[in-house]
Amino acid sequence: MFQEIPPGLCFALSGVLFTIGAIGAITRKNVIVIFMCIELMLNAANLAFIASGNALSSMDGAVFVFFVMTVAAVEAAVGLAIFVMIFRLHGTVNADDASLLKG
Amino acid sequence: MADYIWLIPAFPALGFLINGFLGNRISKSFAAWIACLAIFLSFLTSVAIICEFLQMPPTARIFEMDIYNWIASGEFSVPIGFRIDALSVIMCLVVTGVGFLIHVYSIGYMHGDPGFRRFFIYMNLFVFMMLLLVTGNNLLLMFVGWEGVGLCSYLLIGFWYEKDSASNAGKKAFIVNRVGDFGFLMGIFLLFATLGAQGVWTLKFGEIQQNAHLLNGHLVAIITLLFFVGAVGKSAQIPLYVWLPDAMEGPTPVSSLIHAATMVTAGVYMIARLNFLYSMAPATMFVVAIIGVLTAFFAASIGFAQYDIKRVLAYSTISQLGFMFVAMGVGAYAAGIFHLMTHAFFKGLLFLGAGSVMHAMSGELDMRNMGGLRKKTPVTYWTFFIACLAIAGIPGFSGFFSKDEILWKAFSSSQGHMLIWLLAAVTAGMTAFYMFRLFFGTFHGECRASEEVKHHIHESPRVMTIPLMILAFLSLVGGYVGIPHILGGGNCIEQFLAPVFGPTTHLASTGSFDIISAAWASAGAAGHDGSLELALMVLSVIIALIGISIAYVFYVKNPALPQRFTAKCARLYHVVHNKYFVDELYDLIFVRGTLKAGGFLLKAVDDGMIEGLVNGTAATMKRAGDKLRRIETGYVQEYAIGIILGAIVVVGYLIVAPMF
Amino acid sequence: MDIISFKGVIFIVAALVAIASSVLMATRRNPIHIALWMIVVFFAVAVIYLLLNAQFIAVAQVMVYAGAIMMLILFVIMLVQVEKGEEAGGARGETPRLSKMRVAGALITVILFVEMLFGALFYRMTGRGGDYTADAVNAVGNVKTMGSLLYGRYLFPFEIASILLLVGIVGAVVIAKRKK
């Protein structure tokens, strides 16, 4: 009764989540929303790792996800600090206003 | 003695080095005496060698010695080596002997000049290079000397370099010479290549002579023609003579040594040295003779209308060189060398005499401002007179024997032609005329100089007049080594030079190959045509006397006659006085042409193509950069799109690759 | 049809919830709503982790992502005080060129999705099986296994991660400090 989930489906799900996150990251204007979509992409990748760790009977997937989460947490902290700075400078969190890299 | 032949060029080289390095620390007169001593020692060595030669049988009179192996490349080797045979030793004697006298003269002439030491340094260098030219035993060493004398000519013509006209004249001489040297080089290359194609890799004269028969006639004609181009440049024949009149900007001893006695005769020497090649190419010999006689006539005509005494002598030199080339062209090599020797004596003397006149007249050059110098400068007067008699070809003087030999050979040799003789004889008459025009104009009549110049007229110091007297003596007796057979002499110089020219004199006389029988044959031919030769001799003397008397009439008896003559033929006079506008023609064609070509190349090639290429590359890069720059929009999300595109490509590859 | 088992059903439900929430999340206007839907996604994914025998990670997911990170994001959203709609301060209209570019980018992403789907469904996993089978791990305890691995084989990355966290803390404080 407790059979294993086929890894292909998990990967498919991971792909769907990733694509939705990518489209959201490309299309939205608010930088915080973009950031959240990026977190979604990271989650999709985590899911893929866990799925393959499960399919290959290895704990390496889980360990890797552990570190990914750590990094995501740090990234969230620093990134949001930067967004706060941008808000202070520009008065807005519109992604289109931060185009100083234009060259 | 054979081991010491290297001393001949070594002494002047040593003098050059000593004066060059120590010049400023030794006194001026000491430097001058070192220079003169160097030349004198070379002269003594040459005298010793010729004395030894005279004790040896004719066929053994060759000293050859290699000092250093300069180029060694497989089979081919070019040594630094010297060859003294009959021809070289005569040249050495002329160069060092006349050179020594001129050096002594210069001590007086250049007195007080700030470049006194520099002068003797350059003069020694010149003599060294000239001796290298005449004693080198291979074509390459000869060419080193050839270029070296060209360099020294440039240095000495432009000696007073602050004067624009002098430095320009030096440049002109060097550049025009370069044109000739190009032909010379092409000749060397062609000779080297064609001999090499036959398996003989050498540039030494002896070996070339042995293997000359391997080359075919047309090739030899081209090679000799190319060498002759070099001679035309160095010895100032048509069309490359234009540098010699301008070269008179240099100090007078320079004009005497370089542009009368030695350097300009290098071309004649070269043809004499390569006589075996020239005898294989009758076509080239004809060209040589034609150019020689045309140059002689042309230059003599210009001499009629010049007033600068040095210019008259310059054109006279060109004309006499023409005579020497006539001799070479008709196969009379010995006669040409003989005339080279006597010309060195009397032309050297004429130039030194002109220098003495300039010294007396405080630097005046124009004949129209001179006159009446007979009593005030007697030594100069009498030596100049002797030289004029010699150049006019009056019997008893040296010029008579050599010039007559040339005229006779031009008429009678198998390469000669009556028209050549005719033109040469007319030119001889013209020579007599304009030389005596110069003589009378400079020394006779009223003194037409200004008062203060008249006040200063004085005879030159002994250090200048003694060389004049020695040269005058040589101009008198120098011809007696070549008294032709019909006048009872043995034509010693021709016999002396026979080992060098011997195997080819058959072209000039009968056609036999043996040296001894050739000598007899020429004697026999002389006896056969003896009356004809005598008749021609008398005819040339008459022509010379006519020339002298016309000059006498025009310039002594009736001084107003020249004015009337030029007034009547004003246009002709104008053309001749301006040297037929040849310099202006060259300026138009070559100088302006080169400048225009340079300007065209500047605009079309340099600015258009090369700059365009470089700037175009830069502009293309800039435009490409402008286009590519649009990717960087500054919007982060568009960068994310780029990343996703990249991911698509990579994942696509990973998916597709295992299928193949 | 081994999908229709207990696990399978739960998986399908959780997957559908995740997908729906993420779609909703990507299309809302109000950032607060987006954050809340995001939390739902995280929970759904945590459920799936449980199904995949990664209990520790599931809990960590809830604690770290849904707990800490989302709280952080919510705080910042409120700090930035974006009210309805995202056009706070960016009231000027979109320049048409940009939205065209992004729409094109979005469409391109679908290609990536198709590729991923292709790879996921038609390729077999070829790796060699490891030792940590679900039963073996569960016998010892998932957390214990994770702990032994983290402090054993993966000690070095673990320490580096802690330094990373330190750096992050310091950096965040430095960046967000108000200049006096």
Side-chain angles (χ1 to χ4, degrees):
Chain A
M1 200 145 89
F2 296 119
Q3 285 141 342
E4 293 301 332
I5 314 283
L9 276 183
C10 291
F11 291 138
L13 174 63
S14 161
V16 171
L17 288 178
F18 183 87
T19 310
I20 295 174
I23 293 179
I26 290 175
T27 317
R28 306 299 298 238
K29 274 206 290 295
N30 193 328
V31 298
I32 303 184
V33 175
I34 295 175
F35 181 70
M36 285 195 268
C37 294
I38 292 174
E39 290 298 327
L40 182 58
M41 284 197 269
L42 276 169
N43 263 283
N46 285 352
L47 179 59
F49 270 116
I50 299 287
S52 39
N54 185 44
L56 292 171
S57 307
S58 164
M59 285 299 279
D60 288 343
V63 171
F64 207 93
V65 169
F66 181 86
F67 289 117
V68 172
M69 276 189 203
T70 311
V71 171
V74 176
E75 170 202 340
V78 175
L80 290 168
I82 293 176
F83 291 152
V84 167
M85 283 304 293
I86 289 180
F87 177 70
R88 274 200 213 136
L89 269 164
H90 291 279
T92 172
V93 282
N94 196 334
D96 294 342
D97 290 339
S99 65
L100 281 173
L101 277 175
K102 184 183 174 86
Chain B
M1 207 58 223
D3 297 333
Y4 296 116
I5 59 175
W6 63 276
L7 282 176
I8 296 182
F11 281 126
L14 204 59
F16 162 68
L17 286 172
I18 293 179
N19 273 340
F21 285 116
L22 297 178
N24 277 337
R25 304 196 207 134
I26 52 183
S27 74
K28 279 191 184 180
S29 58
F30 191 58
W33 283 108
I34 285 185
C36 295
L37 188 66
I39 311 289
F40 187 62
L41 288 172
S42 270
F43 178 67
L44 286 181
T45 319
S46 312
V47 168
I49 290 183
I50 197 174
C51 288
E52 191 161 330
F53 269 5
L54 290 174
Q55 294 164 12
M56 294 163 61
T59 45
R61 290 177 187 164
I62 298 182
F63 288 156
E64 193 155 337
M65 176 181 178
D66 287 348
I67 292 191
Y68 175 69
N69 204 2
W70 181 19
I71 299 177
S73 156
E75 275 180 42
F76 173 59
S77 80
V78 171
I80 296 187
F82 303 108
R83 175 196 177 96
I84 306 280
D85 56 6
L87 177 60
S88 318
V89 78
I90 290 185
M91 293 296 298
C92 286
L93 283 171
V94 168
V95 170
T96 52
V98 177
F100 172 66
L101 292 171
I102 294 177
H103 273 70
V104 172
Y105 177 93
S106 310
I107 299 179
Y109 188 82
M110 300 297 290
H111 181 75
D113 190 295
F116 187 80
R117 291 191 185 93
R118 186 163 51 101
F119 184 80
F120 282 100
I121 294 174
Y122 289 161
M123 289 289 269
N124 264 16
L125 182 65
F126 168 78
V127 177
F128 166 59
M129 287 293 175
M130 188 72 202
L131 288 172
L132 211 59
L133 201 160
V134 299
T135 57
N137 72 351
N138 56 74
L139 268 172
L140 216 52
L141 200 58
M142 181 170 156
F143 188 66
V144 170
W146 188 275
E147 290 287 329
V149 297
L151 169 71
C152 295
S153 174
Y154 162 77
L155 289 171
L156 284 164
I157 293 174
F159 186 71
W160 290 311
Y161 51 83
E162 285 108 358
K163 258 202 314 186
D164 266 348
S165 55
S167 57
N168 285 343
K171 274 185 278 185
K172 184 173 181 180
F174 200 81
I175 293 174
V176 175
N177 249 269
R178 214 72 194 101
V179 177
D181 292 345
F182 179 71
F184 194 97
L185 267 176
M186 290 295 116
I188 295 185
F189 293 157
L190 197 55
L191 181 63
F192 178 68
T194 49
L195 268 184
Q198 305 287 336
V200 179
W201 296 101
T202 178
L203 282 177
K204 289 173 87 161
F205 290 125
E207 292 172 18
I208 297 178
Q209 184 163 5
Q210 281 164 2
N211 293 305
H213 57 92
L214 294 172
L215 302 170
N216 84 343
H218 296 297
L219 226 48
V220 173
I222 297 178
I223 293 175
T224 48
L225 208 54
L226 286 170
F227 279 126
F228 181 58
V229 170
V232 163
K234 187 67 79 182
S235 301
Q237 300 295 292
I238 293 177
L240 296 175
Y241 69 91
V242 291
W243 63 273
L244 193 51
D246 282 35
M248 299 297 118
E249 295 284 339
T252 310
V254 168
S255 307
S256 170
L257 181 61
I258 298 186
H259 305 126
T262 46
M263 184 183 97
V264 291
T265 58
V268 183
Y269 166 75
M270 183 267 293
I271 295 187
R273 178 53 81 203
L274 295 174
N275 64 79
F276 45 89
L277 284 179
Y278 278 89
S279 302
M280 289 165 68
T284 312
M285 287 177 77
F286 185 65
V287 170
V288 170
I290 292 290
I291 290 191
V293 77
L294 283 177
T295 308
F297 179 74
F298 181 74
S301 69
I302 298 183
F304 274 32
Q306 301 300 316
Y307 296 105
D308 180 337
I309 53 176
K310 283 180 74 173
R311 291 272 195 285
V312 176
L313 292 174
Y315 285 108
S316 163
T317 306
I318 299 176
S319 183
Q320 294 301 307
L321 286 167
F323 267 100
M324 291 182 223
F325 279 108
V326 168
M328 295 317 203
V330 301
Y333 305 109
I337 298 295
F338 184 32
H339 194 60
L340 191 157
M341 188 174 87
T342 58
H343 177 263
F345 298 148
F346 54 71
K347 192 48 69 61
L349 173 58
L350 281 169
F351 269 107
L352 293 187
S356 186
V357 167
M358 283 165 63
H359 182 86
M361 304 284 289
S362 317
E364 179 62 63
L365 273 176
D366 196 322
M367 204 164 75
R368 296 170 283 200
N369 296 334
M370 298 183 189
L373 291 174
R374 178 174 164 189
K375 292 286 167 26
K376 302 210 180 139
T377 58
V379 178
T380 311
Y381 176 80
W382 285 106
T383 52
F384 206 89
F385 185 50
I386 292 177
C388 285
L389 289 174
I391 195 174
I394 301 299
F397 293 85
S398 58
F400 166 68
F401 296 108
S402 57
K403 194 181 288 196
D404 226 70
E405 187 72 19
I406 295 179
L407 287 175
W408 165 239
K409 284 281 168 22
F411 186 82
S412 71
S413 112
S414 57
Q415 300 284 98
H417 197 277
M418 199 172 78
L419 285 178
I420 297 182
W421 170 83
L422 189 62
L423 204 53
V426 168
T427 310
M430 290 164 73
T431 308
F433 172 72
Y434 71 73
M435 285 311 298
F436 273 91
R437 165 180 176 267
L438 176 68
F439 177 68
F440 293 137
T442 310
F443 290 96
H444 280 245
E446 297 284 323
C447 187
R448 299 176 286 275
S450 66
E451 269 314 310
E452 59 172 278
V453 171
K454 259 200 254 187
H455 198 61
H456 279 121
I457 297 179
H458 58 284
E459 182 59 271
S460 308
R462 277 233 306 264
V463 75
M464 285 166 72
T465 54
I466 293 189
L468 288 178
M469 293 195 278
I470 297 180
L471 279 173
F473 176 69
L474 284 171
S475 302
L476 201 55
V477 306
Y480 293 142
V481 294
I483 304 180
H485 299 282
I486 54 159
L487 290 183
N491 205 343
C492 316
I493 191 165
E494 183 166 348
Q495 277 187 353
F496 184 66
L497 287 171
V500 182
F501 303 134
T504 57
T505 52
H506 69 277
L507 276 179
S509 54
T510 53
S512 78
F513 285 76
D514 195 75
I515 298 179
I516 311 291
S517 60
W520 277 117
S522 66
H528 185 73
D529 297 315
S531 49
L532 189 55
E533 192 176 342
L534 267 177
L536 289 178
M537 209 178 280
V538 169
L539 191 57
S540 67
V541 172
I542 292 178
I543 294 177
L545 287 173
I546 293 178
I548 298 179
S549 40
I550 296 181
Y552 188 73
V553 164
F554 265 60
Y555 291 99
V556 179
K557 284 288 274 292
N558 199 348
L561 216 48
Q563 308 281 47
R564 284 187 12 215
F565 198 75
T566 57
K568 266 192 10 203
C569 322
R571 274 221 301 262
L572 181 63
Y573 170 74
H574 183 67
V575 169
V576 176
H577 179 65
N578 280 310
K579 310 162 279 170
Y580 298 98
F581 297 108
V582 173
D583 278 317
E584 285 77 5
L585 187 68
Y586 282 0
D587 176 54
L588 197 64
I589 299 180
F590 296 114
V591 177
R592 303 253 177 91
T594 312
L595 285 174
K596 274 225 187 72
F600 166 72
L601 280 176
L602 177 71
K603 280 214 299 282
V605 176
D606 194 43
D607 279 344
M609 278 173 31
I610 299 180
E611 292 277 321
L613 209 60
V614 172
N615 288 350
T617 312
T620 310
M621 287 297 141
K622 184 166 180 295
R623 263 181 272 133
D626 278 340
K627 297 261 166 60
L628 282 173
R629 211 180 344 129
R630 305 223 191 119
I631 295 182
E632 307 283 321
T633 56
Y635 300 116
V636 182
Q637 288 158 313
E638 301 193 4
Y639 298 162
I641 295 174
I643 296 177
I644 290 183
L645 276 169
I648 291 175
V649 171
V650 173
V651 173
Y653 170 73
L654 285 172
I655 288 180
V656 165
M659 288 193 201
F660 298 106
Chain C
M1 288 289 265
D2 48 350
I3 298 292
I4 318 288
S5 63
F6 183 58
K7 265 190 179 176
V9 169
I10 301 216
F11 175 75
I12 290 178
V13 169
L16 285 172
V17 168
I19 293 177
S21 307
S22 63
V23 168
L24 278 170
M25 174 198 117
T27 52
R28 294 300 98 200
R29 280 193 182 283
N30 193 337
I32 309 270
H33 294 177
I34 295 176
L36 292 172
W37 283 117
M38 183 127 232
I39 295 178
V40 174
V41 173
F42 288 154
F43 270 106
V45 171
V47 166
I48 298 180
Y49 286 164
L50 278 174
L51 288 173
L52 289 173
N53 291 312
Q55 295 92 354
F56 175 72
I57 298 295
V59 174
Q61 163 98 345
V62 172
M63 272 168 46
V64 171
Y65 267 108
I69 293 182
M70 290 324 291
M71 287 304 116
L72 200 55
I73 290 177
L74 279 167
F75 270 127
V76 172
I77 291 174
M78 289 178 196
L79 193 65
V80 166
Q81 284 182 356
V82 175
E83 285 131 12
K84 330 197 162 337
E86 305 171 45
E87 271 76 25
R92 60 195 101 138
E94 303 174 13
T95 51
R97 185 195 76 127
L98 297 167
S99 83
K100 260 196 229 139
M101 182 69 146
R102 296 199 192 138
V103 165
L107 288 173
I108 286 173
T109 314
V110 173
I111 300 177
L112 188 61
F113 170 61
V114 166
E115 283 181 348
M116 277 194 262
L117 217 55
F118 196 80
L121 295 176
F122 295 119
Y123 277 76
R124 301 258 142 245
M125 291 200 66
T126 53
R128 199 180 51 158
D131 292 332
Y132 293 88
T133 55
D135 296 327
V137 170
N138 288 337
V140 178
N142 196 315
V143 180
K144 208 167 174 184
T145 322
M146 278 291 284
S148 70
L149 274 174
L150 280 176
Y151 282 97
R153 209 170 145 209
Y154 297 110
L155 179 60
F156 188 59
F158 185 72
E159 300 298 333
I160 300 286
S162 66
I163 296 179
L164 188 63
L165 283 165
L166 177 66
V167 168
I169 294 171
V170 173
V173 169
V174 166
I175 290 176
K177 233 166 84 139
R178 263 192 213 277
K179 302 260 190 307
K180 293 277 175 7

